[in-house]
């Protein structure tokens, strides 16, 4: 049932404040400003040398954001790879270390094969999954469910932000256990996470501004997405979302890699979508924006109010999200990225919920 929405994808985008709230309520004790991870007794993060993460597609990008979180907040090194590569790489792993698999469906063949490899090597297996009765959930030692509800649209939206929410709570938990966060530090991040449903609501309020970009974007044959830090995986997620539902070719790049190749593509016809919250590396992304602007590139800047104040002049259009704590910014910045792909596809008249050649659950490799 699509309710009042034209597509399941629209409904699922709009469900995000609610389902992120549901998901986080499983992992946060907001009365005491602590994380509560059911099943996590089996995991002692203070004993880990590293964490291995593997997944496919959008779930992989969630894992890539989590790498930045685990390394910064918990000082836990993360090795992450797409599951189709990981499963055949015969990576040397340590028995007893932790491997984490992320999957909406819990049935993705490559992700499952990576899980089985790690299990065979004696690793502890954790899974972030949305379908609780799925194969990946059954075969994992510890399951961290996302409570996004059934996701019908082939392009993943609410599952992604719920995966991010779970992973953020896990990173805080790990940071606390490893002694890199004290009570106060953990409480600050828990409070920020507790406020994400409200921030996501405010991001949704920008929908008509974002929809207005659909028509100009629909005329592009190629679109470049740029970001640094946690915005780099968001850039790749944005490009994936746009190509899968609008069939416009798009690439997500680390902003710092621009001058190592893709800058050759920049001209007046090439929209460049820059994702840049006003964080400590904001100025570095601004210098990349200057390089794009100097070559006539059309910049759509997805930032926050502070970032818009500082740099909207360089951009052709700016989407200004609310200013939020740096830790939760990737969850909030995912919204305009989803809405932009959605409205561009709707404007172009593609089959948004059932894009050509794609299946919701990829159970063959
Ligand atoms: C993109 C998308 C896919 C999936 C990928 C993994 O919008 O939906 O890239 O994210 O196929 O699927 P799950 O999460 O079910 O393992």
């Amino acid at each position: 049932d699509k309710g009042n929405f034209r597509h399941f994808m629209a409904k699922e985008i709009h469900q995000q404040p609610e389902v992120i709230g549901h998901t986080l309520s499983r992992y946060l004790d907001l009365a005491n400003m602590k994380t509560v991870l059911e099943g996590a007794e089996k995991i002692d993060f203070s004993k880990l040398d590293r964490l291995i993460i593997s997944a496919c597609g959008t779930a992989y990008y969630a894992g890539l954001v989590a790498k930045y979180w685990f390394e910064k907040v918990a000082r836990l090194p993360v090795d992450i790879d797409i599951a189709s590569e990981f499963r055949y790489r015969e990576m040397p792993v340590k028995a007893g270390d932790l491997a984490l698999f992320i999957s909406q469906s819990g049935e993705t063949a490559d992700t499952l094969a990576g899980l089985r490899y790690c299990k065979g090597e004696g690793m502890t297996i954790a899974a972030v999954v949305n379908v609780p009765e799925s194969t990946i959930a059954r075969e994992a030692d510890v399951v961290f469910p996302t409570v996004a509800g059934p996701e019908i649209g082939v392009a993943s939206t609410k599952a992604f932000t719920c995966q991010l929410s779970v992973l953020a709570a896990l990173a805080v938990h790990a940071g606390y256990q490893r002694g890199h966060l004290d009570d106060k530090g953990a409480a600050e991040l828990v409070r920020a996470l507790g406020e994400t449903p409200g921030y996501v609501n405010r991001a949704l309020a920008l929908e008509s501004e974002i929809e207005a970009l659909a028509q100009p974007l629909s005329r592009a044959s190629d679109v470049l997405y740029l970001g640094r830090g946690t915005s780099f995986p968001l850039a790749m997620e944005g490009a994936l979302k746009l190509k899968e539902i609008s069939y416009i070719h798009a690439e997500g790049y680390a902003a710092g890699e621009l001058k190592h190749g893709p800058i050759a593509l920049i001209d007046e016809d090439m929209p460049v979508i820059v994702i840049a919250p006003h964080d400590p590396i904001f100025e570095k992304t601004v210098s990349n924006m200057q390089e794009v602007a100097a070559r006539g590139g059309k910049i759509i800047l997805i930032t926050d109010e502070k970032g818009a104040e500082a740099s909207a002049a360089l951009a052709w259009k700016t989407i200004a999200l609310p200013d939020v704590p740096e830790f939760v910014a990737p969850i909030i910045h995912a919204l305009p990225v989803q809405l932009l792909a959605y409205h561009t596809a709707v404007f172009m008249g593609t089959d948004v919920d059932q894009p050509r050649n794609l299946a919701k659950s990829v159970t063959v490799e």
Side-chain angles (χ1 to χ4, degrees):
D1 176 22
K2 291 179 210 158
N4 294 325
F5 294 97
R6 253 176 97 181
H7 301 98
F8 282 107
M9 186 178 176
K11 178 182 172 191
E12 289 160 5
I13 288 173
H14 283 266
Q15 279 177 327
Q16 287 176 108
E18 187 192 334
V19 295
I20 290 171
H22 283 163
T23 298
L24 284 171
S25 70
R26 294 251 195 139
Y27 296 92
L28 305 181
D29 169 1
L30 289 171
N32 297 299
M33 289 296 163
K34 281 186 156 50
T35 50
V36 274
L37 295 188
E38 232 174 90
E41 314 79 53
K42 291 189 197 161
I43 303 169
D44 184 351
F45 282 97
S46 69
K47 297 234 155 59
L48 299 180
D49 293 329
R50 68 167 173 186
L51 171 65
I52 289 175
I53 302 182
S54 193
C56 300
T58 290
Y60 165 72
Y61 296 138
L64 212 44
V65 172
K67 173 185 168 79
Y68 289 84
W69 281 335
F70 277 108
E71 292 186 346
K72 182 162 184 190
V73 166
R75 308 298 298 155
L76 178 60
V78 173
D79 266 311
I80 174 163
D81 201 355
I82 45 175
S84 56
E85 287 301 315
F86 178 76
R87 64 177 293 188
Y88 294 117
R89 211 147 53 86
E90 296 180 38
M91 182 186 187
V93 298
K94 200 169 118 196
D97 255 358
L98 184 66
L100 174 71
F101 298 88
I102 308 165
S103 177
Q104 188 286 126
S105 63
E107 302 296 346
T108 301
D110 286 324
T111 308
L112 179 60
L115 181 159
R116 287 175 175 162
Y117 171 77
C118 290
K119 208 173 188 180
E121 298 290 311
M123 298 190 77
T124 304
I125 310 296
V128 174
V129 283
N130 196 44
V131 179
E133 59 278 7
S134 61
T135 311
I136 289 175
R138 281 200 313 272
E139 295 197 10
D141 299 309
V142 188
V143 177
F144 298 114
T146 48
V147 195
E151 191 178 62
I152 311 292
V154 163
S156 185
T157 53
K158 63 177 181 173
F160 177 65
T161 50
C162 287
Q163 286 159 354
L164 290 178
S165 303
V166 172
L167 293 163
L170 268 175
V172 175
H173 190 77
Y176 189 69
Q177 267 192 356
R178 292 170 67 80
H180 291 283
L181 288 174
D182 57 10
D183 285 308
K184 193 166 156 274
E188 201 177 296
L189 299 183
V190 168
R191 180 173 302 112
L193 272 173
E195 281 166 7
T196 48
Y199 296 141
V200 168
N201 250 322
R202 288 170 60 195
L204 286 171
L206 301 173
E207 181 159 13
S208 57
E209 273 177 56
I210 296 165
E211 186 176 2
L213 301 171
Q215 192 241 357
L217 214 55
S218 71
R219 289 194 301 252
S221 54
D222 306 272
V223 177
L224 189 61
Y225 286 72
L226 298 177
R228 280 177 187 261
T230 50
S231 299
F232 167 40
L234 282 186
M236 293 192 281
E237 167 63 4
L240 175 63
K241 219 88 299 174
L242 189 70
K243 53 191 151 190
E244 65 183 336
I245 60 172
S246 75
Y247 316 140
I248 296 174
H249 170 240
E251 298 279 352
Y253 250 93
E257 278 286 293
L258 186 66
K259 56 168 75 65
H260 300 287
I263 198 164
L265 296 169
I266 309 283
D267 63 17
E268 299 75 26
D269 300 323
M270 172 87 144
V272 179
I273 299 173
V274 178
I275 305 163
H278 196 273
D279 58 16
I281 44 174
F282 179 73
E283 288 307 325
K284 299 287 168 193
T285 309
V286 170
S287 54
N288 302 124
M289 279 171 55
Q290 280 159 345
E291 293 159 2
V292 172
R295 286 157 185 87
K298 241 187 194 170
I299 298 169
I300 297 173
L301 173 61
I302 297 174
T303 183
D304 46 30
E305 279 155 15
K306 276 203 194 108
E309 211 170 291
S311 295
L314 279 173
W316 170 66
K317 294 280 185 234
T318 299
I319 301 297
L321 293 159
D323 291 320
V324 303
E326 186 190 336
F327 182 61
V328 299
I331 305 177
I332 321 306
H333 280 66
L335 270 288
V337 158
Q338 297 168 346
L339 286 167
L340 195 55
Y342 172 73
H343 285 291
T344 304
V346 170
F347 183 83
M348 294 174 81
T350 57
D351 188 348
V352 172
D353 283 333
Q354 290 284 332
R356 68 187 183 201
N357 310 340
L358 291 174
K360 184 66 186 160
S361 181
V362 185
T363 53
V364 291
E365 67 173 294

